[in-house]
Amino acid sequence: MPNPKASATPGAGGCTIKCAMTHRNEGQRMVTRAKSVCRHAGCGVLVDVSGHCDKHAAIYQKAVDARRGSASERGYNRRWQKARETFLNRSPLCVQCDREGVVQAAQVVDHIVAHKGDAALFWDTSNWQSLCKPHHDRKTATADGGFGRTSAA
């Protein structure tokens, strides 16, 4: 009996999605998304993922890095490394995973409220929480406006 959830939409070479999945497992190419144009003004290079072509990605990253400053300039120096290590030893589990009923080791000490250069808030341990990297990355990308980007609010 045919699977009613399998799409009959033709993919590469006239295959259905189910057929394409089988081919992928056999080492053949699966249908991919359309390429997009590099986001740099005036550049028409097609890229596999949304963003910038190789040439403009490097330029864009340099501009982001210059705006942010180095980790050391942002306060993440040897003193921070020691404080971070002590905090993770005392609070070794991800607090977000714990809320979800999962036991997961934390790798990151997160500032609950973004310090934005405020030294007092940066060093306030009541503003710290232990997070696993996936939860920290998700929080940074949503609450703080992203990795090195300023939030819209």
Side-chain angles (χ1 to χ4, degrees):
M1 178 173 190
N3 182 352
K5 292 185 180 180
S7 171
T9 305
C15 293
T16 64
I17 298 300
K18 183 177 180 182
C19 178
M21 294 293 283
T22 303
H23 289 304
R24 183 183 69 184
N25 293 336
E26 295 171 358
Q28 295 181 6
R29 264 187 83 177
M30 178 147 166
V31 180
T32 57
R33 71 187 281 286
K35 293 187 178 215
S36 59
V37 178
C38 172
R39 290 183 184 171
H40 188 79
C43 181
V45 174
L46 295 177
V47 294
D48 289 325
V49 293
S50 62
H52 296 90
C53 64
D54 291 340
K55 175 183 173 186
H56 294 117
I59 294 168
Y60 177 77
Q61 191 59 51
K62 278 185 181 180
V64 168
D65 292 345
R67 220 174 25 249
R68 287 183 79 195
S70 71
S72 182
E73 290 169 342
R74 289 180 283 132
Y76 298 99
N77 52 26
R78 182 65 188 139
R79 179 179 171 207
W80 167 255
Q81 294 301 325
K82 286 181 181 180
R84 174 193 171 280
E85 186 177 345
T86 300
F87 190 82
L88 288 175
N89 283 335
R90 292 182 182 156
S91 185
L93 300 178
C94 173
V95 296
Q96 187 61 42
C97 286
D98 185 49
R99 288 184 196 115
E100 297 169 5
V102 176
V103 176
Q104 176 65 42
Q107 297 90 17
V108 181
V109 175
D110 174 61
H111 291 92
I112 299 166
V113 175
H115 61 83
K116 299 185 183 197
D118 179 345
L121 192 55
F122 183 92
W123 292 107
D124 180 2
T125 58
S126 67
N127 187 42
W128 296 357
Q129 64 181 346
S130 299
L131 293 176
C132 63
K133 181 141 177 41
H135 276 124
H136 180 261
D137 290 352
R138 193 171 305 129
K139 177 190 179 265
T140 301
T142 56
D144 299 347
F147 301 97
R149 300 183 301 271
T150 55
S151 60

